[in-house]
Amino acid sequence: MSLQEFDVLIDRMKLAFEYADNLGQYVEAAKVLFQMNEQLPEDLQMTFEELDNPDEAKSFVKQYNSELKSAIVDYRQRLMIS
């Protein structure tokens, strides 16, 4: 995947995440985080805990959002170099 393709895909996912997060739809926001994580190479993918309880979705989203953003930046840097 090229940097441009990755950026377009991630930008769309970020919008979907922010929309769900802003509306308080944390289960949907968590699903978007899972999808974003799947777009990263295996060595950068995060190992998420299973989200069994929708009541835990808000803390899940808050915990993993910044970590995933960091992994995305790392992957973008790789794509820029290659």
Side-chain angles (χ1 to χ4, degrees):
M1 175 180 307
S2 73
L3 176 60
Q4 183 179 15
E5 292 168 330
F6 180 74
D7 281 345
V8 168
L9 181 62
I10 291 298
D11 285 344
R12 287 182 184 161
M13 290 179 164
K14 283 181 182 178
L15 287 174
F17 170 79
E18 289 171 7
Y19 182 76
D21 189 40
N22 288 337
L23 291 176
Q25 297 176 339
Y26 299 111
V27 172
E28 294 303 317
K31 288 179 184 179
V32 175
L33 288 181
F34 277 105
Q35 293 171 348
M36 291 170 79
N37 190 52
E38 290 175 356
Q39 298 305 313
L40 297 171
E42 282 190 30
D43 65 319
L44 287 177
Q45 284 186 6
M46 298 174 54
T47 305
F48 288 140
E49 299 172 10
E50 284 296 317
L51 185 60
D52 297 326
N53 182 349
D55 295 332
E56 298 171 355
K58 183 176 182 177
S59 62
F60 176 90
V61 166
K62 299 301 177 197
Q63 177 181 354
Y64 290 109
N65 183 32
S66 61
E67 292 178 39
L68 187 58
K69 284 181 182 179
S70 177
I72 289 169
V73 168
D74 289 346
Y75 186 51
R76 285 192 80 254
Q77 288 174 347
R78 283 188 194 178
L79 289 173
M80 286 190 292
I81 293 170
S82 61

